[in-house]
Structure formats: structure tokens, C-alpha cells
């Protein structure tokens, strides 16, 4: 977990995991599939099997599943993976995302989880990379906060990490934003982890990041001037394009 200095956006914080062993094969196949398509080639995938180039024995402390999502698929894999974590949570769900542009199903899942007593927290950027997307993101704050979801903004700058962590057992780190374009129109990938020690590392990083965040309350939302509220509402009409 690194924080990189970028003056335009303050501190740019991102998240990543390093995979070793058999799980790398999933990403290899995803890469080669795209490579073959664009080059019109046909690689022998067996040449890239993990054990071909690494003779050491692989060890795992849990389950790791890399996966991809595609607009050409009939399955909304990225969204379903996120919804599964939200719906199955028993204690907490902690989320970081650069953009928070949600469909009704995800809004409902987050609100129901919070109403059940699940500790649902979301960290978004304080300094945006796209002002119009950030305006729509903030437009979702009131309904979530009113239903018990806790919203925080990363005050040093822009948080680019897309992470979910829940109940000290499940986590996802990847490229999939909580917005329409990422969930429905983009080619994306991520890693799902279960009962691995890295899950606790992701949780610890989230907790430490909260120390650099401002909690958004409903009182702060209500103090926003009406022209800005109107613009946020109007911009949500264009949410499926973002």
C-alpha cells in the first residue's frame, strides 16, 4: 500500500496486491486472451504455466481467485462480487473507491446492510480528478448517510484504490470502480481473497487511512447551497455515462 505525491491531486493513494503461485495463471490467461485477439496470434498457453518458470513449492494461507469482467459477458461479475460481500457481511464492510456512482441495487444493498447493524464505511477522494464525477459522487452521500452508511473523504488528496474488505475474512482488490462505466462498459480485473492474512492487512490499511479522512455527516450535506444540490441532482441524470 503506497501513497505517491502528485501535486495536481494532493496525495494520490492507490492499493495493490502481489500474487505468487498458481493464482497468477488466471491473470496470465486473461492477458494472453487479449494479446491473441489484438495480434491475431495464437499462443500456446501451456508455455506460461507457473511451474514452468518457477520450481519452488507454492504455499497459501487462504484462497485467492483472480477474475475478470467484460462488457461482452452476460454476467455482471464485478458488481455481483461486490454485492455478494455486502449481502453476506455479518460485522463490517469497508470500501475505498475513487468514484461512487451507484445503481439502485447497490444503494439498496448498502443501506440494508447498514440498517441490519453492519458497520458499512466508504472512503472517497476529497480532491477529485474529474469535478463532474465527484459532484455526482457527493450526490449519493445523503441517502447513504441517512440509512446508516458512514462516508469519509480522504483529505490529503485523491484515493484511487478500489478495495472491499469484510469480517476479517473476505477482500477484493482490483481495477473495478463503483461506477457505471467500470461495472458495465469496461474490461476490468480484480483479486478475490478469503481467509488470507492479506485480508487483515487491507483492513489495517483502511483503518489507518481513516485517520487522514473527514467524516461526512448529514448536517454537512444539508449545509450545501441549493444551486450545488440542484447541480448534483441534475448531474445524476448522466450517471450511466460516468
Amino acid at each position: 500500500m503506497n501513497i505517491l505525491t502528485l501535486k495536481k491531486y494532493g496525495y494520490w493513494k492507490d492499493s495493490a496486491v502481489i500474487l505468487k503461485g498458481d493464482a497468477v495463471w488466471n491473470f496470465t490467461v486473461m492477458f494472453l486472451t487479449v494479446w491473441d485477439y489484438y495480434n491475431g496470434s495464437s499462443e500456446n498457453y501451456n508455455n506460461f504455466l507457473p511451474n514452468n518458470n518457477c520450481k519452488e513449492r507454492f504455499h497459501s494461507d487462504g484462497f485467492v481467485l483472480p477474475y475478470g469482467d467484460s462488457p461482452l459477458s452476460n454476467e455482471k461479475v464485478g458488481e455481483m462480487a461486490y454485492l455478494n460481500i455486502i449481502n453476506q457481511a455479518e460485522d463490517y464492510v469497508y470500501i475505498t473507491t475513487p468514484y461512487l456512482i451507484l445503481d439502485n441495487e447497490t444503494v439498496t444493498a448498502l443501506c440494508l446492510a447498514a440498517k441490519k447493524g453492519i458497520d458499512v464505511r466508504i472512503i472517497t477522494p476529497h480532491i477529485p480528478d474529474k469535478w463532474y464525477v465527484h459532484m455526482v459522487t457527493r450526490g449519493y452521500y445523503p441517502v447513504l448517510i441517512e440509512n446508516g452508511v458512514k462516508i469519509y473523504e480522504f483529505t490529503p488528496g485523491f484515493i484511487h484504490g478500489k478495495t472491499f474488505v469484510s469480517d476479517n475474512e473476505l477482500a477484493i482488490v482490483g481495477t473495478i470502480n463503483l461506477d457505471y462505466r467500470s461495472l458495465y462498459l469496461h474490461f476490468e480485473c480484480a483479486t478475490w481473497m478469503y481467509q488470507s492474512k492479506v485480508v487483515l492487512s487491507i483492513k489495517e490499511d483502511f483503518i489507518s487511512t481513516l485517520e487522514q479522512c473527514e467524516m461526512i455527516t448529514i448536517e454537512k450535506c444539508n449545509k450545501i447551497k441549493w444551486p450545488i444540490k440542484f447541480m448534483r441532482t441534475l448531474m445524476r441524470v448522466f450517471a450511466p455515462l460516468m
Side-chain angles (χ1 to χ4, degrees), residues 117-140:
I118 308 300
D119 183 14
V120 183
R121 306 188 189 198
I122 304 174
I123 298 178
T124 64
H126 182 70
I127 300 176
D129 64 336
K130 303 177 181 69
W131 67 267
Y132 49 92
V133 177
H134 196 54
M135 179 170 286
V136 178
T137 289
R138 286 177 162 175
Y140 282 90

Side-chain angles (χ1 to χ4, degrees), residues 3 11 13 153-156 207-214:
I3 296 181
Y11 286 99
K13 179 177 172 58
E153 288 189 353
F154 180 65
T155 53
I207 296 299
S208 64
T209 303
L210 283 179
E211 298 175 1
Q212 304 174 73
C213 292
E214 173 190 5

Side-chain angles (χ1 to χ4, degrees), residues 151-224:
I151 305 291
Y152 302 82
E153 288 189 353
F154 180 65
T155 53
F158 186 76
I159 189 160
H160 192 249
K162 302 93 172 170
T163 67
F164 270 61
V165 61
S166 175
D167 296 350
N168 294 350
E169 287 193 331
L170 283 166
I172 293 176
V173 176
T175 68
I176 308 171
N177 298 304
L178 280 173
D179 65 52
Y180 285 84
R181 294 179 66 85
S182 189
L183 291 171
Y184 305 128
L185 301 178
H186 288 177
F187 291 87
E188 305 282 6
C189 61
T191 301
W192 177 91
M193 293 155 282
Y194 175 66
Q195 290 187 344
S196 171
K197 63 183 179 182
V198 73
V199 172
L200 292 179
S201 297
I202 296 167
K203 177 188 178 182
E204 291 168 4
D205 182 72
F206 185 94
I207 296 299
S208 64
T209 303
L210 283 179
E211 298 175 1
Q212 304 174 73
C213 292
E214 173 190 5
M215 185 174 183
I216 308 301
T217 64
I218 196 63
E219 288 76 20
K220 291 178 181 178
C221 293
N222 291 336
K223 288 181 180 178
I224 302 299

Side-chain angles (χ1 to χ4, degrees), residues 3-242:
I3 296 181
L4 305 179
T5 301
L6 190 63
K7 291 182 179 179
K8 186 176 181 180
Y9 307 116
Y11 286 99
W12 183 290
K13 179 177 172 58
D14 213 329
S15 302
V17 292
I18 297 176
L19 297 186
K20 297 180 180 180
D22 293 329
V24 178
W25 177 240
N26 291 39
F27 279 128
T28 303
V29 172
M30 281 185 259
F31 173 81
L32 290 174
T33 301
V34 177
W35 177 269
D36 285 350
Y37 174 80
Y38 278 104
N39 287 279
S41 58
S42 181
E43 299 286 344
N44 183 353
Y45 288 18
N46 289 329
N47 292 335
F48 301 93
L49 286 167
N51 288 314
N52 287 354
N53 300 299
C54 184
K55 301 304 181 182
E56 65 181 271
R57 188 184 181 96
F58 300 132
H59 299 279
S60 175
D61 64 341
F63 296 91
V64 178
L65 179 63
Y67 62 93
D69 196 5
S70 164
L72 305 178
S73 170
N74 292 326
E75 295 284 345
K76 298 184 290 184
V77 179
E79 184 177 34
M80 292 301 102
Y82 285 161
L83 286 174
N84 181 66
I85 287 185
I86 296 168
N87 293 332
Q88 297 297 320
E90 296 181 356
D91 184 19
Y92 71 86
V93 179
Y94 296 159
I95 302 166
T96 67
T97 180
Y99 316 122
L100 191 66
I101 302 175
L102 310 171
D103 61 11
N104 289 335
E105 190 172 9
T106 306
V107 170
T108 299
L110 290 167
C111 292
L112 283 177
K115 285 181 175 181
K116 288 191 299 183
I118 308 300
D119 183 14
V120 183
R121 306 188 189 198
I122 304 174
I123 298 178
T124 64
H126 182 70
I127 300 176
D129 64 336
K130 303 177 181 69
W131 67 267
Y132 49 92
V133 177
H134 196 54
M135 179 170 286
V136 178
T137 289
R138 286 177 162 175
Y140 282 90
Y141 289 176
V143 64
L144 294 172
I145 294 171
E146 287 173 347
N147 284 280
V149 178
K150 302 179 182 70
I151 305 291
Y152 302 82
E153 288 189 353
F154 180 65
T155 53
F158 186 76
I159 189 160
H160 192 249
K162 302 93 172 170
T163 67
F164 270 61
V165 61
S166 175
D167 296 350
N168 294 350
E169 287 193 331
L170 283 166
I172 293 176
V173 176
T175 68
I176 308 171
N177 298 304
L178 280 173
D179 65 52
Y180 285 84
R181 294 179 66 85
S182 189
L183 291 171
Y184 305 128
L185 301 178
H186 288 177
F187 291 87
E188 305 282 6
C189 61
T191 301
W192 177 91
M193 293 155 282
Y194 175 66
Q195 290 187 344
S196 171
K197 63 183 179 182
V198 73
V199 172
L200 292 179
S201 297
I202 296 167
K203 177 188 178 182
E204 291 168 4
D205 182 72
F206 185 94
I207 296 299
S208 64
T209 303
L210 283 179
E211 298 175 1
Q212 304 174 73
C213 292
E214 173 190 5
M215 185 174 183
I216 308 301
T217 64
I218 196 63
E219 288 76 20
K220 291 178 181 178
C221 293
N222 291 336
K223 288 181 180 178
I224 302 299
K225 295 180 180 179
W226 73 263
I228 297 178
K229 289 183 179 180
F230 174 76
M231 280 298 297
R232 290 178 181 177
T233 302
L234 180 64
M235 291 293 287
R236 284 182 63 170
V237 175
F238 302 97
L241 302 176
M242 300 182 189

